Amino acid sequence: MTRISTRIVVALSAIALAMSVSVAGFGAQAPTSKDLLTSKQVKDLVAAAQTPADHVKLQKHFSALAAEYDADAAEHADLAQSYRKPPVGRLMPGSYPKKAEHCDRLTQTLRDAAKEARELAAEHGQMASAK
């Protein structure tokens, strides 16, 4: 192998390893809350919520969901920064900006989702205290 092709193989191997560790780490680092409900439970509870306890369950669910979205957003923000640091940027100059932009978009989308989940949690908290 030539010196350049060896560097490319090493760089691609390092990136693949980093991505596999990062993807595997998403589930391990974002704690699964006992307050999270299944999609069916949320749908059923939203349709039938009448008591303060129902709204408290939904409030807790959306708060826990927001925390998970925030954790995932932080992971993607860190990954975007990793793509911008050497050696990735130096060894793969054409592809790293696209990967970093992808992570930036996911970060913003997840932050927006977390904000909306917190808003839903607040609304259900108000409904729980109003009844």
Side-chain angles (χ1 to χ4, degrees), residues 33-39 41-43 45-46 55-69 117 120-121:
S33 172
K34 64 179 174 45
D35 294 323
L36 285 174
L37 304 171
T38 66
S39 295
Q41 289 171 320
V42 172
K43 187 175 183 180
L45 198 52
V46 165
H55 290 290
V56 167
K57 282 182 189 176
L58 287 166
Q59 178 187 23
K60 288 180 179 182
H61 166 76
F62 287 116
S63 292
L65 193 59
E68 284 200 355
Y69 288 153
L120 285 168

Side-chain angles (χ1 to χ4, degrees), residues 2 5 9 15 21 25 37 57 60 66-67 81-82 87 93 98 102-103 122 125:
T2 67
S5 63
V9 169
I15 290 168
V21 169
L37 304 171
K57 282 182 189 176
K60 288 180 179 182
Q81 290 306 314
S82 295
K98 291 178 185 173
H102 165 80
C103 290

